[in-house]
Amino acid sequence: MYKLIIIDDEEKIASGMAQLFPWQNIGFEVVQVFTSARKALQYIAENPVDVVLTDIEMPDMNGLELSHRLMEYPNIQKIFFSSYSNYEYFRAALQNGVADYLMKPVAYSALLECFEKVKARLDARSAVQETAPKAYYDQIVYDV
């Protein structure tokens, strides 16, 4: 299971996203829900996370700043969900390596499609990480 955190300053939305979507059926576990991007960032600094699903407009730190700070963690997949279809948000999201940008209210099918793609990326990365050491050691054995 890949570890997912959800961030939205509206607690009902964050909790609803965590509870109403069948995350475990598609290979994700919601390990934490936050209403504060700063608290989420503190959590990420101390705990492994694979995916961050975050709102953009939040009072303590917006999603754009959060995604910029998360560039320190290149293995974390970042997904925005927002009520704003602002070009500058899209542009900044691309520059900060955000995997997808979903519009609120998030359609079930869009969320499912997004997370299937994210899971495929994470699976591919895991496969590479598992085979790289094996190939390295196989080469050493071959050389010896």
Side-chain angles (χ1 to χ4, degrees):
M1 288 279 178
Y2 293 110
K3 296 175 190 240
L4 164 69
I5 64 169
I6 299 173
I7 312 162
D8 193 310
D9 58 315
E10 295 181 52
E11 188 173 351
K12 285 183 180 181
I13 291 175
S15 296
M17 292 280 288
Q19 295 169 3
L20 298 176
F21 191 78
W23 295 107
Q24 293 201 341
N25 293 352
I26 60 168
F28 293 90
E29 174 189 6
V30 178
V31 292
Q32 201 71 302
V33 175
F34 294 96
T35 56
S36 162
R38 290 193 191 287
K39 288 181 181 173
L41 200 54
Q42 290 171 344
Y43 178 86
I44 291 166
E46 299 168 7
N47 300 279
V49 171
D50 298 300
V51 183
V52 172
L53 176 61
T54 184
D55 189 14
I56 294 179
E57 286 295 324
M58 296 180 286
D60 67 336
M61 175 192 307
N62 71 30
L64 297 173
E65 183 181 346
L66 175 65
S67 68
H68 183 73
R69 289 188 181 196
L70 288 177
M71 290 175 76
E72 294 177 34
Y73 305 92
N75 290 331
I76 293 178
Q77 296 287 301
K78 302 168 286 239
I79 301 161
F80 282 165
F81 65 105
S82 178
S83 302
Y84 299 93
S85 58
N86 179 319
Y87 171 75
E88 288 304 317
Y89 287 169
F90 289 121
R91 186 168 180 269
L94 287 172
Q95 290 174 336
N96 293 345
V98 172
D100 208 339
Y101 192 112
L102 305 170
M103 294 301 299
K104 287 181 184 178
V106 179
Y108 182 94
S109 59
L111 194 60
L112 182 61
E113 181 183 331
C114 169
F115 273 85
E116 284 174 344
K117 288 178 186 174
V118 167
K119 185 175 186 308
R121 278 188 223 120
L122 291 169
D123 288 347
R125 184 183 71 209
S126 293
V128 168
Q129 288 174 341
E130 288 172 15
T131 58
K134 183 181 180 327
Y136 173 75
Y137 291 117
D138 286 350
Q139 185 63 46
I140 291 174
V141 169
Y142 177 78
D143 290 345
V144 171

